[in-house]
Amino acid sequence: MRPVALLTDFGHADHYVGVLHAVLERDAPGVTRIDLGHGVRPGDIWDACFQLRCAWPHLPTNCVVMVVVDPGVGTERRAVAVTVGARSLVAPDNGVAAAVAGASAAVALDWRRMGVEKPSMTFHARDLFAPAAARLARNERDLDFGDEIGVGSLLPCPLPDPVFSLSGLEGVIVHVDHFGNLVTNVRGSEAEPSATATWRAGRTSRRVRTYGEAQPEEVVLIEGSAGFLELAVNCGSAAEATGLERGDTVVFSQGDD
Amino acid sequence: MRPVALLTDFGHADHYVGVLHAVLERDAPGVTRIDLGHGVRPGDIWDACFQLRCAWPHLPTNCVVMVVVDPGVGTERRAVAVTVGARSLVAPDNGVAAAVAGASAAVALDWRRMGVEKPSMTFHARDLFAPAAARLARNERDLDFGDEIGVGSLLPCPLPDPVFSLSGLEGVIVHVDHFGNLVTNVRGSEAEPSATATWRAGRTSRRVRTYGEAQPEEVVLIEGSAGFLELAVNCGSAAEATGLERGDTVVFSQGDD
Amino acid sequence: MRPVALLTDFGHADHYVGVLHAVLERDAPGVTRIDLGHGVRPGDIWDACFQLRCAWPHLPTNCVVMVVVDPGVGTERRAVAVTVGARSLVAPDNGVAAAVAGASAAVALDWRRMGVEKPSMTFHARDLFAPAAARLARNERDLDFGDEIGVGSLLPCPLPDPVFSLSGLEGVIVHVDHFGNLVTNVRGSEAEPSATATWRAGRTSRRVRTYGEAQPEEVVLIEGSAGFLELAVNCGSAAEATGLERGDTVVFSQGDD
């Protein structure tokens, strides 16, 4: 049986995530379940795409990955299963399903052909995506769950790429983590080791390699664990220190300038 | 071995839930464990009953379900194991144990007969309920854990039913979810498709079928995933938009009025 | 295979914990994973030591325990695997690794000898500790992961012991739990059943045995589930009621005084 990993914006206040686990265990008894995370900002597709990309390289080779951040649930948006290498990605077709590169095939999920009851209008994770993930875990073929669709027809991932401007390389904060680190969409390799980040008129941060190099309360620029540059405060919260939020701009200029 | 599902108000700040998992694994190595949720409002038996009822239909057939919301821990309240179909429900006898219909037998747990150490005064989940759940998972009989008691003697579930008044069908908010949806105790089938909800003098909401039908920032009435009507804001929080809380009243009138 | 338990300060907003689970499953397919908790206060080694000590007696006998609260990640601090009875503890050498008594051997982890890629500067939990835990779960020997070091060379656990002063037995709040209970470092056996706790000039609490003995809104002193005395409010939050925080002092005097 293949392991199943779950990434959602359902949080931990309710039984929602628990019911997904129950459905997986009901439909694929003994399946290995991995909570990739349920703290995606509610309805935030950027955040879902970002967290999925960060976790992707570390997942088991043949993993079934179910990502549900689904503000359009109950509308006409498609539900899809995408093949990426030996992995399967099950998600609404709202940009999340196209967040990782290398898709080779895709199917539009059809509850009639999956042999499940008609889904509710508000909880397709329970009624459609988890049953699909359980069936894939049991090595059923997604081609039996609906019509094949072109990989190119998937809604593209909306995460912006950094852009070059007169000021330098303009990035954007795509994720604020538990520690208050402000993670941008700029890779460590895209900026010089001597780069500085300007995050508000007159406020800049120098780049360091480890948290330990930062002065107390200093906002520094550091390459995070997924390879992206982030603003951070050692033993503190850069989000609190700067007041910056998801979606705010950070400009990277080279140290030589 | 039977799977074990856990529902508590212990939250995620501490080692409390982790210790329950450790005890289950210690007493029933390899047992399948499902976190149904640990976000029940602290001490809120309504919320525990509601979340249990919502999750119940989706659990594995032979599941052992351990629900611990236990403000009376250490007092004389009974600890019970209840048989409901092929499932077992292990809980304090404070209303939670009677939250689901169909109980056929019940036992008052007695630590002496279970062969465990004398429980602490404050953590029966660890010392009594998890060991009981682990033994049930291993297919031991609850009749060996204490005296049989009448199912009718269980403290009734305190969740109120909606009532008819001059204003219409009066419901109450029994759960506020992670997204800020305000879930009532009124089933979708109890109100007309054209029903409106009055939730404060002069403030009403129309019923829709999907989040997508709502206008931006509009507070709408929608049937949630467990069949109950809830106030919701698409891509927003109805709790924030309305200021309503768990326990507040919502009146449903028919659209023809 | 040995079960693996995880205790970190990574919280639940991100994919960080999920990636640890993915790495464990990737490196030790089918391994039993236990989330001991991820709610340690960010960077708070006291809290990590305290939660580890509370959970320790309840873990499976042969458990591999991975504790990562690691403000010094990327600096020269050692990463270690410590043998304690039949258990292994994998952690940074910052005090956490010495939190439980009975260590018989220790190894300084060396990624080169473990056969993993060079760790990132910011996420050794993913790159070093989880791979080590997975290998230990598969019954590999930690002696193959690096040089043996003296157990006495481990950085000592920084949790303070209570001290006797003119005022009485001075303890300190080492953990604030999900319910707002203020847990001290003083064991129940160290104070008389008639002891009172003074937690601010003129504010004292009497000791009770169960939450049920407290008056509404009364701040009482009670022995918690791990044997330590805590300030608590029945069906309420002592943290809110008192304004006390982690690190604040509580003085215990005997009832006879």
Side-chain angles (χ1 to χ4, degrees):
Chain A
M1 203 145 46
R2 303 165 68 186
V4 176
L6 306 172
L7 179 66
T8 78
D9 63 349
F10 294 171
H12 292 90
D14 311 289
H15 56 284
Y16 301 149
V17 170
V19 164
L20 300 186
H21 281 275
V23 168
L24 289 172
E25 176 63 24
R26 185 194 66 195
D27 287 1
V31 65
T32 293
R33 299 169 270 113
I34 296 172
D35 282 306
L36 217 43
H38 302 286
V40 173
R41 262 171 52 121
D44 188 339
I45 294 171
W46 277 24
D47 196 15
C49 292
F50 178 75
Q51 294 201 36
L52 177 61
R53 284 183 180 177
C54 292
W56 190 258
H58 308 287
L59 295 172
T61 317
N62 64 339
C63 201
V64 179
V65 187
M66 171 176 157
V67 183
V68 187
V69 175
D70 194 13
V73 62
T75 64
E76 292 299 309
R77 67 101 188 86
R78 295 186 297 194
V80 297
V82 183
T83 302
V84 188
R87 295 188 187 132
S88 296
L89 176 58
V90 177
D93 180 24
N94 60 14
V96 168
V100 289
S104 59
V107 164
L109 298 173
D110 181 340
W111 60 271
R112 294 171 203 81
R113 288 166 64 180
M114 287 172 55
V116 298
E117 284 182 35
K118 188 176 179 185
S120 66
M121 301 303 279
T122 58
F123 201 4
H124 286 191
R126 177 192 68 191
D127 301 334
L128 192 66
F129 294 112
R135 282 155 179 74
L136 291 169
R138 284 167 16 203
N139 289 305
E140 295 187 22
R141 297 177 344 138
D142 54 10
L143 285 171
D144 296 331
F145 304 161
D147 291 330
E148 194 163 2
I149 58 174
V151 165
S153 78
L154 294 173
L155 212 68
C157 170
L159 262 185
D161 285 319
V163 292
F164 282 98
S165 75
L166 286 177
S167 333
L169 183 62
E170 279 194 20
V172 64
I173 295 167
V174 294
H175 180 69
V176 181
D177 82 4
H178 172 67
F179 299 97
N181 297 319
L182 302 160
V183 191
T184 74
N185 60 340
V186 177
R187 295 201 160 270
S189 53
E190 293 176 291
E192 299 289 327
S194 58
T196 56
T198 303
W199 39 272
R200 188 170 293 148
R203 304 295 301 270
T204 61
S205 295
R206 69 188 173 103
R207 186 163 174 181
V208 298
R209 287 174 65 247
T210 69
Y211 295 121
E213 293 171 50
Q215 301 301 314
E217 304 188 25
E218 181 187 7
V219 180
V220 293
L221 180 64
I222 188 170
E223 182 174 324
S225 58
F228 294 95
L229 291 170
E230 56 192 62
L231 295 172
V233 172
N234 190 24
C235 302
S237 163
E240 279 184 24
T242 65
L244 294 174
E245 296 178 355
R246 179 266 200 218
D248 286 343
T249 301
V250 178
V251 180
F252 299 81
S253 46
Q254 302 311 338
D256 305 333
D257 294 351
Chain B
M1 203 146 47
R2 303 165 68 187
V4 176
L6 306 172
L7 179 66
T8 78
D9 63 349
F10 294 171
H12 292 90
D14 311 289
H15 56 283
Y16 301 150
V17 170
V19 164
L20 301 186
H21 282 275
V23 168
L24 290 172
E25 175 64 24
R26 184 195 65 195
D27 287 1
V31 65
T32 293
R33 299 169 270 114
I34 298 172
D35 282 306
L36 218 43
H38 302 287
V40 173
R41 261 171 52 121
D44 189 339
I45 294 171
W46 278 23
D47 196 15
C49 292
F50 178 76
Q51 293 201 37
L52 177 61
R53 284 183 180 176
C54 292
W56 191 259
H58 308 286
L59 295 171
T61 317
N62 65 339
C63 202
V64 178
V65 187
M66 171 177 159
V67 183
V68 187
V69 175
D70 195 13
V73 61
T75 64
E76 292 299 309
R77 67 101 188 86
R78 296 187 296 195
V80 297
V82 183
T83 302
V84 189
R87 295 187 188 133
S88 296
L89 177 58
V90 177
D93 180 24
N94 60 13
V96 167
V100 288
S104 60
V107 163
L109 298 173
D110 181 340
W111 61 271
R112 294 170 203 82
R113 288 167 63 180
M114 287 172 56
V116 298
E117 284 183 36
K118 187 175 180 186
S120 66
M121 302 303 278
T122 58
F123 200 6
H124 287 192
R126 177 192 68 190
D127 301 334
L128 192 66
F129 293 113
R135 282 156 179 73
L136 291 169
R138 285 169 13 203
N139 289 303
E140 295 187 23
R141 297 176 346 136
D142 53 10
L143 286 171
D144 296 331
F145 303 161
D147 290 332
E148 193 162 3
I149 57 175
V151 165
S153 78
L154 294 173
L155 211 71
C157 170
L159 261 185
D161 285 318
V163 292
F164 282 98
S165 75
L166 286 177
S167 334
L169 183 62
E170 280 193 19
V172 64
I173 295 168
V174 295
H175 180 69
V176 181
D177 82 5
H178 172 67
F179 299 96
N181 297 319
L182 302 159
V183 191
T184 75
N185 60 341
V186 177
R187 293 203 160 269
S189 53
E190 293 176 291
E192 299 289 328
S194 58
T196 55
T198 303
W199 38 272
R200 188 169 292 148
R203 304 295 300 270
T204 61
S205 294
R206 68 189 174 101
R207 185 164 175 182
V208 298
R209 287 175 65 248
T210 68
Y211 295 121
E213 291 170 53
Q215 301 300 314
E217 303 187 24
E218 181 186 7
V219 180
V220 292
L221 181 63
I222 188 168
E223 182 174 325
S225 58
F228 294 94
L229 291 169
E230 57 192 61
L231 295 172
V233 171
N234 190 24
C235 302
S237 163
E240 279 184 23
T242 64
L244 294 174
E245 295 178 355
R246 178 266 199 219
D248 285 344
T249 301
V250 179
V251 180
F252 299 82
S253 46
Q254 301 311 335
D256 305 332
D257 293 351
Chain C
M1 204 146 44
R2 303 165 67 187
V4 177
L6 307 172
L7 179 65
T8 78
D9 63 349
F10 294 170
H12 291 90
D14 311 289
H15 55 283
Y16 301 149
V17 171
V19 164
L20 301 186
H21 281 275
V23 168
L24 289 172
E25 176 62 24
R26 184 196 65 195
D27 287 1
V31 65
T32 293
R33 298 169 271 115
I34 297 172
D35 283 306
L36 216 44
H38 302 286
V40 172
R41 262 171 51 121
D44 188 340
I45 294 171
W46 277 23
D47 197 15
C49 292
F50 178 75
Q51 294 201 36
L52 177 61
R53 285 183 180 176
C54 292
W56 189 259
H58 308 286
L59 294 172
T61 316
N62 64 339
C63 202
V64 178
V65 187
M66 170 178 158
V67 183
V68 187
V69 175
D70 195 13
V73 62
T75 63
E76 291 299 310
R77 67 101 188 86
R78 296 186 296 193
V80 296
V82 182
T83 302
V84 188
R87 295 188 187 132
S88 296
L89 176 58
V90 177
D93 180 25
N94 60 14
V96 168
V100 289
S104 59
V107 164
L109 298 173
D110 181 339
W111 61 271
R112 293 171 203 82
R113 288 166 63 180
M114 288 172 55
V116 298
E117 284 182 35
K118 187 176 180 186
S120 66
M121 302 303 279
T122 58
F123 200 5
H124 287 191
R126 178 193 67 191
D127 301 334
L128 191 67
F129 294 114
R135 281 155 180 75
L136 291 169
R138 284 169 14 205
N139 290 304
E140 295 187 23
R141 299 178 343 139
D142 53 10
L143 286 171
D144 296 332
F145 304 162
D147 290 331
E148 195 163 1
I149 57 175
V151 165
S153 77
L154 294 173
L155 212 70
C157 170
L159 262 185
D161 286 319
V163 292
F164 282 99
S165 75
L166 286 177
S167 333
L169 183 61
E170 279 194 19
V172 65
I173 295 167
V174 294
H175 179 68
V176 181
D177 82 4
H178 172 66
F179 299 97
N181 297 319
L182 302 159
V183 192
T184 74
N185 60 341
V186 177
R187 294 202 160 269
S189 53
E190 293 176 291
E192 299 288 327
S194 59
T196 55
T198 303
W199 37 273
R200 188 170 291 149
R203 304 296 300 270
T204 62
S205 294
R206 68 188 173 103
R207 185 162 175 182
V208 298
R209 286 175 65 248
T210 69
Y211 295 120
E213 292 171 52
Q215 302 300 313
E217 304 187 23
E218 181 187 6
V219 180
V220 293
L221 181 63
I222 188 169
E223 182 173 325
S225 57
F228 293 95
L229 291 169
E230 57 192 60
L231 295 172
V233 172
N234 190 25
C235 301
S237 164
E240 279 185 23
T242 64
L244 295 174
E245 295 178 356
R246 178 265 199 221
D248 285 343
T249 300
V250 179
V251 180
F252 299 81
S253 45
Q254 301 310 338
D256 305 333
D257 294 350

